[in-house]
Amino acid sequence: MVVVNYDSGDHLRTCVSHLEAAVDPLEAEFVVVDNRSRDRSLDGIQEMVSGIRVIKNADNRGYGRACNQGVRATSAPFVCLLNPDVIPEPGSISAMVAALQDRPRAGVLGPRLKNPDGTYYPSCRVVPNLKVALGHAVFGLISDNNRFSRAYKLLDFDHGEEREVDWVSGAAMMMRRQAFAEVGGFDEGFFMYVEDVDVCARMNQAGWRAVYYPFAEMVHHVAGSSRRTPYKMIRHHHMSHMRFAAKQATTPARLLLLPLILVGLFLRMLLAWANLFRQRRMEGASRS
């Protein structure tokens, strides 16, 4: 078990308090990697779970790099990575271990994630083709309920059924150590966002599979650390997509399209900033 923390407040303590009910503690290793949090989110963590290890970094190393650090600090054949804003339900992590044991070609497995109100959180998605990517990039700024965003987020299939997917959300994923090591772990060039897409894509290229497994459930909240710096998060999100697009440009056709894709992502980042600014002005006006 590896949880990466950065100013997560009560989310981290809530997550950690549910770990022992989610997995047999006698068979698990628990590691929290902290990216120099400035709040008191680590307070009392080591008293919650017997044997939990806390690794304190001197700086914010980003999500993927901290995850790699946590994986190296464990030795089990399967490693569950959780965001601190995720609450695993009883037995969920043990169920994911059993599922990976029964699926020898599965390199990564993602549970069914729910929002706090019980609605489905899109925890498995596709690597979109150009048409879907462009449609989601444009119309997704207005509403997620468009056919491009729905196709990208796989919103129109029965999420009570198991299936192979392109990638599963890094908010909660169970990795097979062999597969993770074979592809070199997370690309630490991604500071945050899209590292989950990238590692699943590289596993797929290496012959491993990503599996959406709805029979293990967890609740996903939205962490306050992202909400406090939304403009910065928008920049990280789009820069990570640019890096992923560049990594995927391995054919002449993709190389020709890459400049257009990068310009499009940059323009979308500007539009997202403008949209956030407009929303905040409207919220400010409504409160005054």
Side-chain angles (χ1 to χ4, degrees):
M1 282 295 314
V2 175
V3 181
V4 173
N5 180 60
Y6 176 68
D7 284 350
S8 298
D10 291 336
H11 285 298
L12 177 64
R13 286 187 287 273
T14 302
C15 173
V16 169
S17 70
H18 286 76
L19 292 181
E20 288 188 314
V23 63
D24 186 344
L26 298 179
E27 300 176 357
E29 303 165 279
F30 301 101
V31 177
V32 172
V33 182
D34 184 73
N35 275 334
R36 200 186 180 188
S37 293
R38 294 161 295 183
D39 63 0
R40 301 179 64 86
S41 52
L42 292 177
D43 288 1
I45 292 300
Q46 291 179 294
E47 285 73 45
M48 289 184 176
V49 176
S50 177
I52 192 169
R53 181 179 176 188
V54 177
I55 300 173
K56 297 181 180 180
N57 289 328
D59 56 353
N60 186 352
R61 300 186 176 185
Y63 181 75
R65 188 177 175 190
C67 279
N68 287 344
Q69 206 179 349
V71 172
R72 289 193 298 269
T74 65
S75 59
F78 307 106
V79 185
C80 185
L81 305 176
L82 286 184
N83 279 4
D85 59 357
V86 170
I87 302 174
E89 295 195 349
S92 57
I93 297 173
S94 292
M96 293 167 71
V97 170
L100 272 181
Q101 289 173 328
D102 291 340
R103 294 156 180 78
R105 293 314 302 165
V108 56
L109 185 142
R112 180 186 181 101
L113 292 182
K114 301 180 294 185
N115 295 306
D117 63 1
T119 56
Y120 172 71
Y121 175 87
S123 56
C124 60
R125 309 186 188 189
V126 301
V127 175
N129 58 34
L130 186 59
K131 180 181 177 181
V132 171
L134 286 173
H136 170 66
V138 175
F139 297 107
L141 288 172
I142 303 169
S143 169
D144 277 339
N145 195 27
N146 65 81
R147 66 188 182 94
F148 303 105
S149 296
R150 295 189 70 83
Y152 165 58
K153 296 183 178 181
L154 292 175
L155 295 179
D156 294 323
F157 85 91
D158 182 359
H159 288 88
E161 296 181 359
E162 176 183 340
R163 67 178 287 178
E164 290 186 5
V165 295
D166 286 346
W167 61 280
V168 296
S169 171
M173 54 167 49
M174 178 76 72
M175 316 284 289
R176 186 183 300 273
R177 184 180 295 274
Q178 178 187 351
F180 191 66
E182 188 175 311
V183 300
F186 284 117
D187 178 351
E188 297 182 2
F190 294 96
F191 184 78
M192 64 184 305
Y193 300 121
V194 192
E195 65 283 307
D196 45 7
V197 188
D198 176 72
V199 77
C200 288
R202 287 186 284 118
M203 283 190 184
N204 182 61
Q205 291 162 6
W208 298 97
R209 296 293 176 260
V211 176
Y212 165 70
Y213 187 71
F215 310 109
E217 296 189 348
M218 302 185 184
V219 179
H220 183 229
H221 294 260
V222 179
S225 57
S226 295
R227 287 181 170 179
R228 286 195 294 272
T229 56
Y231 291 99
K232 190 175 182 179
M233 296 304 103
I234 287 171
R235 177 172 63 83
H236 281 308
H237 185 261
H238 287 82
M239 293 297 290
S240 290
H241 275 287
M242 290 180 192
R243 179 177 179 83
F244 182 71
K247 289 185 69 173
Q248 294 296 302
T250 56
T251 65
R254 289 184 177 181
L255 283 169
L256 285 173
L257 287 172
L258 181 59
L260 293 176
I261 293 171
L262 297 181
V263 170
L265 284 167
F266 180 76
L267 292 175
R268 189 184 190 276
M269 180 176 67
L270 296 180
L271 286 172
W273 276 338
N275 191 43
L276 176 62
F277 180 74
R278 180 184 60 82
Q279 289 176 352
R280 291 198 156 189
R281 286 198 65 180
M282 290 176 63
E283 290 170 1
S286 65
R287 287 195 297 265
S288 61

